[in-house]
Amino acid sequence: MAIVRVGFLEVWVRDLERSLEFYRGLLGMLLERREGKAAYLRGYEEREWSLKLKEAPFPAVAALGFKVDSEEGVSALKAWAEREGLPHREEADWARPRILRVQDPFGYPLAFYFQAEKLPRMLQEYHLHRGPGLLRLDHINLFSPEVDQATRYYQEALGFRLTEYTEDEEGRLWASWLHRKGNVHDVAFTNGEGPRLHHFAYWLPDPMAIIRAADILAGARRTEEIERGPGRHGISNAMFLYLRDPDGHRVELYTSDYLTVDPDLPPVRWSLNDPRRQTLWGHRTPKSWFLEGSTLLDLSGNPVPRRASRLEGIPEHVI
Amino acid sequence: MAIVRVGFLEVWVRDLERSLEFYRGLLGMLLERREGKAAYLRGYEEREWSLKLKEAPFPAVAALGFKVDSEEGVSALKAWAEREGLPHREEADWARPRILRVQDPFGYPLAFYFQAEKLPRMLQEYHLHRGPGLLRLDHINLFSPEVDQATRYYQEALGFRLTEYTEDEEGRLWASWLHRKGNVHDVAFTNGEGPRLHHFAYWLPDPMAIIRAADILAGARRTEEIERGPGRHGISNAMFLYLRDPDGHRVELYTSDYLTVDPDLPPVRWSLNDPRRQTLWGHRTPKSWFLEGSTLLDLSGNPVPRRASRLEGIPEHVI
Amino acid sequence: MAIVRVGFLEVWVRDLERSLEFYRGLLGMLLERREGKAAYLRGYEEREWSLKLKEAPFPAVAALGFKVDSEEGVSALKAWAEREGLPHREEADWARPRILRVQDPFGYPLAFYFQAEKLPRMLQEYHLHRGPGLLRLDHINLFSPEVDQATRYYQEALGFRLTEYTEDEEGRLWASWLHRKGNVHDVAFTNGEGPRLHHFAYWLPDPMAIIRAADILAGARRTEEIERGPGRHGISNAMFLYLRDPDGHRVELYTSDYLTVDPDLPPVRWSLNDPRRQTLWGHRTPKSWFLEGSTLLDLSGNPVPRRASRLEGIPEHVI
Amino acid sequence: MAIVRVGFLEVWVRDLERSLEFYRGLLGMLLERREGKAAYLRGYEEREWSLKLKEAPFPAVAALGFKVDSEEGVSALKAWAEREGLPHREEADWARPRILRVQDPFGYPLAFYFQAEKLPRMLQEYHLHRGPGLLRLDHINLFSPEVDQATRYYQEALGFRLTEYTEDEEGRLWASWLHRKGNVHDVAFTNGEGPRLHHFAYWLPDPMAIIRAADILAGARRTEEIERGPGRHGISNAMFLYLRDPDGHRVELYTSDYLTVDPDLPPVRWSLNDPRRQTLWGHRTPKSWFLEGSTLLDLSGNPVPRRASRLEGIPEHVI
């Protein structure tokens, strides 16, 4: 049951027009289909849609989707869900005939699929690109009150590989970065009240595209939607810009991390209070970044209850 | 009579729609006004229009415009034209109430103006920028069969300053770069059948914008409109991309030259056969670049007759 | 008496080795000469040195140098100093045989020169460039307790032109940007206890060079020397990074402002409490940036006494 | 037997000092060890060396190394070599205790390893980076007189996946791009006299680094070592610059291709005479690029005999 990479999100928004104005109008994402209260978008490199926006009474995230390597892979994940007694069901969506939805042991609403209708290649249609040029969904970051268990489970049960992690002086795990596709992460876990989504990230072509994104937000008088950055992370080495969409969902624009395909690549350990960890350079991280996140939904569409974390506090260099 | 900088061009095109598709659609220039068979465009940094396109039976360039520092400056230029017995007249155009048009002793159709209605500031409206982001008209380059006399005259009569020049081993001048505004040039003269326009150039924000321009042309399947580049010039140090518009007018996208305001800045001398001169790096210059140019018009709208140059040949490293 | 541009600074530092490690080692400036306790540096585009570091018991700035258009220009400035009864004297320095030093009516230690020995052209010796690639001195920014008078005087007596300014709701001038060389400024005045130097700025080739500078500081574990940025100013449109050198002198790395040569270019007015003014995007400006600056010296080498400003407070969006 | 990625090359050069001046001096690669007539280098992102230069009487390429996922993987490849009757042997090199060398059925001198001593992390030591900033070995490109068979064999026997390919109108395969690590290629086959190495490629951080590489070569007066580019490939979408090292080995600087991890990603088909294929934009490819390559060595260190290809000619748009 080989997961290939993070594949899509289903995001609930309160005003679809307003959200499309953000994701398509400002960020330039391709709108591939609009059907009732739902819209399907993708980045310029993607051959499958990666973001489903759905108008709903409150903001939330309904599905965290992963591309699997085959239909057999999806079936193996179904067997895993049954074996573990996890809530699950199969469903179809536009251009994706079989999606296996599973609420994992921690409460995250996962979705697995293999088959997907391929959309036309747009990568080299540069004359049609707009905005900073979002290329592809890169990763999701999840708040967890039990980072250590989640990290272990995602490695052992789901085959993820650890690339970087944050520990305190007592050896307790505060955050982890796990990948399948060969760069720093497909999924990260961050200590905090959870399960919640911390953010999802799109890959941009280069650091200048991050600058262009900031310029575009500024031109549109929407800098209040920039929560953090631009800066460079110590972790992942990536240049970043964190935005908050009209419903408060956090979107990272991300570029320039590194290749992690070697199975013997030693994970990078960061000390919790190392200020280089969060921000190699750039300004202090605002508190909101540590505390706020998106509600997740269970398979019935109800908010997943949150648990507080026993690890309290945010890093010293933030306050 | 202080000329401040090159200010605009009036360019005759055969199909205004097709030209607007090029300058506005592909290159992203701002269309400020359309009036009958004429259109007025500008770059994102400019507060005045800099390109007038006019639909006409044949392609040509009707005016090479220069911003002057005052109305007195325009009047002083009128006195110069009268003193020298040069064809001249005053006229008005959109947002520019007084333009002094003078055909100079070499046949170039110059136009001088001071007053210009200011257009809204667009530099920081980044969300509205399109294409590679042309910022401002930077310079014009003129074919001349008498580069030495033209260079001297533009220095002595019109106050231009020499920044770089190309000489052969016998000390004959093949090309010169002359400025008023403080970078490498407002006007350049290049040896060849003339008077003709070799090209006009717009300034781009940085080298990545040159790359983006090439990508956009490629995306639109219009690479045949790229005549030369990208590359970096030895002369001027600028990164460049030369395009040919739908009528064959040559447009340079140009960035990253240097400051030349010091009156004692020694001009840079280049040897005619130094291959670093034309192209610090990048591929060989095609022959068309040395031989083809735009017809200029006299004040009555008739093509200015051309004279052959006594200096023959193109540099050794081209052939 | 035409000033051409800002030309150099003489900066006192407590440990010359340590300062050279900063300006040459980290920032890559060219060290052209070292003589006793003084060192002369320049950027890659400059043909004259622009930074003199001098080891001294305390940090200070001894001279704010301006390139003038001729020896007659220097003499005219001498006549001005005499006419106004300003302290002044002539002296020589390395590669600069005649420097006229004048303490202006506000206490700023100005220095004027025309002649300067030209250093070899290094702009295109790219294989020798190091660090982020500082190209040339761009401007100085001065704390002043009387921004309105200083701004008027520099326009009327010294020929500077206003490009941008900050006013409060009562029409009081809090800051001004004044140029001679054709971009946004050679000199800026900022309200505050003064006279002091707020910062001096070097021009970088493009926004990616700003990113590279931040990366280099981070690599060297010297991010505490980054005081502010990267970001983009509303004023000037420039991308910036503010550093503090080992003595606390503030150095701005600056790029991508715009051309200001038109005499009728309308100055841009900014409202004091407009948050776009300081920072089009990027994080809040730290208080140190508003309050700290370098001591200036009079012609005898003694600190110029400072006066408090009657305009108190820093902008609302900072606190 | 899972190959992870291309891992290293052993390249024979005639003058080690001269080659180090190229790879380390100009291109900035990290020299990790020098031992007699051999030197080991790496890019800034790599934790293992990726280029071994060895002084020898004639230029050649002795090994094309691949990282394998485990020691069991190496043993499985040994079993394959034995099963197929391929010349092979095990040996050790610096920091790499077990390397399995196999001459494949087409004559290519492959080398497989898992264990490798990890070198210190240099990715974020930005203050120590020099030159354009080579990050990691990306791929090798091999001349083959039987592209169709080689492509099929590398897929079926060695587990490579096809991402792009070039066909003529009769359906004959002229070139193929095959990957293991999740971007466009680890290995490509190009029609021509072979087996030979066409080039090896290092990944650069972004398109500006390609420009910087060209500037550095130009500054050092070594543009004759630029064979092709800068440009953007149609195939792979990458920006490129092809250099020839002092022995004529071709090195590509490469960046900005795309993610290929999906098993159902449809390979991109290019028509042989599509000019967008080789060069989305940029100048014509020189003939040398189609005809010249590096000699490969068998396991005894003798040149592998070459076979002509039955497919003759180079694309129409080149000539």
Side-chain angles (χ1 to χ4, degrees), chain C residues 19-307:
Chain C
S19 294
L20 284 174
E21 203 283 325
F22 180 83
Y23 288 102
R24 188 198 198 190
L26 276 180
L27 299 187
M29 291 187 73
L30 294 166
L31 174 62
E32 291 299 330
R33 185 181 179 89
R34 199 164 161 179
E35 193 178 329
K37 290 178 176 295
Y40 299 83
L41 300 106
R42 62 164 166 151
Y44 292 115
E45 182 181 316
E46 294 174 315
R47 303 294 307 273
E48 307 178 353
W49 60 265
S50 61
L51 182 62
K52 179 181 179 181
L53 300 176
K54 191 171 153 186
E55 195 164 281
F58 59 94
V61 173
L64 306 168
F66 291 89
K67 175 86 175 182
V68 176
D69 68 348
S70 61
E71 283 306 315
E72 294 69 37
V74 178
S75 298
L77 284 155
K78 191 174 182 181
W80 159 71
E82 285 168 355
R83 201 165 59 237
E84 300 268 310
L86 301 170
H88 63 283
R89 74 157 178 274
E90 292 195 9
E91 60 186 35
D93 204 335
W94 174 63
R96 221 155 271 183
R98 184 193 179 198
I99 297 175
L100 171 69
R101 304 199 50 177
V102 183
Q103 198 176 6
D104 84 2
F106 307 95
Y108 299 108
L110 309 182
F112 301 100
Y113 71 99
F114 167 62
Q115 281 184 66
E117 191 181 309
K118 295 295 176 283
L119 300 166
R121 197 161 189 252
M122 293 296 292
L123 179 57
Q124 295 179 326
E125 305 302 301
Y126 287 105
H127 57 311
L128 304 178
H129 295 195
R130 291 287 175 270
L134 276 64
L135 289 181
R136 61 177 184 262
L137 183 61
D138 185 80
H139 64 262
I140 55 174
N141 186 310
L142 301 168
F143 270 126
S144 168
E146 51 262 320
V147 169
D148 49 354
Q149 293 100 305
T151 301
R152 209 176 313 118
Y153 191 86
Y154 270 63
Q155 291 178 275
E156 293 171 3
L158 295 172
F160 285 84
R161 290 174 175 177
L162 185 69
T163 54
E164 309 207 13
Y165 62 100
T166 302
E167 263 184 0
D168 63 18
E169 294 173 9
E170 300 166 52
R172 293 176 305 187
L173 196 64
W174 284 65
S176 66
W177 286 260
L178 297 154
H179 85 97
R180 285 293 308 165
K181 72 177 167 308
N183 72 340
V184 173
H185 55 324
D186 289 278
V187 177
F189 292 105
T190 297
N191 175 62
E193 190 184 287
R196 284 182 299 161
L197 178 75
H198 186 276
H199 69 264
F200 60 100
Y202 274 85
W203 181 269
L204 263 66
D206 54 55
M208 274 304 294
I210 299 282
I211 301 303
R212 201 176 334 146
D215 281 337
I216 288 169
L217 272 283
R221 275 73 177 167
R222 296 178 73 157
T223 44
E224 78 284 358
E225 295 171 17
I226 300 178
E227 185 184 29
R228 181 183 169 203
R232 189 185 290 282
H233 290 303
I235 288 165
S236 82
N237 192 49
M239 260 200 70
F240 63 84
L241 187 74
Y242 288 96
L243 309 178
R244 300 297 289 268
D245 85 357
D247 288 282
H249 298 301
R250 188 180 287 110
V251 185
E252 183 182 15
L253 307 184
Y254 177 95
T255 192
S256 302
D257 66 357
Y258 57 92
L259 193 70
T260 63
V261 293
D262 287 5
D264 59 343
L265 186 73
V268 179
R269 181 194 176 279
W270 295 89
S271 165
L272 181 63
N273 286 316
D274 180 352
R276 286 169 58 85
R277 179 178 66 88
Q278 279 274 351
T279 311
L280 198 67
W281 53 259
H283 284 253
R284 286 188 176 197
T285 308
K287 272 191 187 177
S288 62
W289 194 90
F290 285 95
L291 300 175
E292 299 172 13
S294 297
T295 295
L296 296 171
L297 301 180
D298 65 20
L299 299 197
S300 311
N302 297 315
V304 177
R306 303 163 183 188
R307 302 178 298 279

Side-chain angles (χ1 to χ4, degrees), chain A residues 155 159-163 179-180 182 259-267, chain D residues 2-5 48 66-74 113-116 118 180-181:
Chain A
Q155 291 177 277
F160 285 84
R161 291 174 176 177
L162 185 69
T163 55
H179 85 97
R180 284 295 308 166
L259 193 69
T260 62
V261 291
D262 287 4
D264 60 342
L265 187 73
Chain D
I3 292 169
V4 174
R5 58 175 175 89
E48 308 177 353
F66 291 88
K67 175 86 174 182
V68 174
D69 69 350
S70 61
E71 284 305 316
E72 293 70 37
V74 178
Y113 71 100
F114 167 62
Q115 282 185 67
K118 294 294 177 283
R180 284 294 307 165
K181 71 177 168 305

Side-chain angles (χ1 to χ4, degrees), chain B residues 215 218 229 232 276 280-281 283, chain D residues 215 218 223 229 232 276 281 283:
Chain B
D215 281 338
R232 190 185 288 282
R276 287 169 57 86
L280 199 65
W281 52 259
H283 284 252
Chain D
D215 281 339
T223 43
R232 190 184 290 280
R276 286 169 58 85
W281 52 258
H283 284 253

Side-chain angles (χ1 to χ4, degrees), chain D residues 89-149:
Chain D
R89 75 156 177 274
E90 292 196 11
E91 60 185 34
D93 204 335
W94 175 62
R96 220 154 272 184
R98 182 192 181 200
I99 297 175
L100 171 68
R101 303 196 53 176
V102 182
Q103 198 175 5
D104 85 1
F106 306 94
Y108 299 108
L110 309 183
F112 301 101
Y113 71 100
F114 167 62
Q115 282 185 67
E117 192 182 309
K118 294 294 177 283
L119 300 166
R121 199 163 188 251
M122 293 297 291
L123 179 57
Q124 295 180 327
E125 306 302 301
Y126 288 105
H127 57 311
L128 304 178
H129 295 195
R130 292 288 175 269
L134 275 64
L135 290 181
R136 62 177 182 263
L137 183 60
D138 186 80
H139 64 263
I140 55 173
N141 187 309
L142 301 169
F143 270 126
S144 168
E146 52 261 321
V147 170
D148 48 356
Q149 291 101 305

Side-chain angles (χ1 to χ4, degrees), chain D residues 41-243:
Chain D
L41 299 106
R42 64 165 166 152
Y44 292 115
E45 182 182 317
E46 294 174 314
R47 302 294 307 274
E48 308 177 353
W49 61 263
S50 61
L51 182 63
K52 177 180 178 181
L53 299 176
K54 190 170 154 187
E55 195 164 282
F58 60 94
V61 173
L64 306 168
F66 291 88
K67 175 86 174 182
V68 174
D69 69 350
S70 61
E71 284 305 316
E72 293 70 37
V74 178
S75 298
L77 284 155
K78 191 173 179 181
W80 159 71
E82 285 168 354
R83 201 165 56 238
E84 301 268 311
L86 301 170
H88 64 282
R89 75 156 177 274
E90 292 196 11
E91 60 185 34
D93 204 335
W94 175 62
R96 220 154 272 184
R98 182 192 181 200
I99 297 175
L100 171 68
R101 303 196 53 176
V102 182
Q103 198 175 5
D104 85 1
F106 306 94
Y108 299 108
L110 309 183
F112 301 101
Y113 71 100
F114 167 62
Q115 282 185 67
E117 192 182 309
K118 294 294 177 283
L119 300 166
R121 199 163 188 251
M122 293 297 291
L123 179 57
Q124 295 180 327
E125 306 302 301
Y126 288 105
H127 57 311
L128 304 178
H129 295 195
R130 292 288 175 269
L134 275 64
L135 290 181
R136 62 177 182 263
L137 183 60
D138 186 80
H139 64 263
I140 55 173
N141 187 309
L142 301 169
F143 270 126
S144 168
E146 52 261 321
V147 170
D148 48 356
Q149 291 101 305
T151 300
R152 208 175 314 119
Y153 191 87
Y154 270 63
Q155 290 176 277
E156 293 171 4
L158 296 171
F160 284 84
R161 290 174 177 177
L162 184 69
T163 55
E164 310 207 11
Y165 62 100
T166 302
E167 263 183 3
D168 63 19
E169 293 172 11
E170 300 166 51
R172 293 176 303 187
L173 196 64
W174 284 66
S176 66
W177 285 259
L178 297 155
H179 85 96
R180 284 294 307 165
K181 71 177 168 305
N183 73 340
V184 173
H185 52 329
D186 289 278
V187 177
F189 292 105
T190 297
N191 175 62
E193 189 184 292
R196 285 181 299 159
L197 177 75
H198 186 276
H199 68 266
F200 59 102
Y202 275 85
W203 181 268
L204 264 66
D206 54 55
M208 274 304 294
I210 300 282
I211 302 302
R212 200 175 334 144
D215 281 339
I216 288 169
L217 272 282
R221 274 76 176 164
R222 295 176 73 157
T223 43
E224 77 283 359
E225 295 170 17
I226 301 178
E227 185 184 29
R228 181 182 168 202
R232 190 184 290 280
H233 288 303
I235 288 165
S236 83
N237 193 48
M239 259 199 72
F240 63 83
L241 187 74
Y242 288 96
L243 308 179

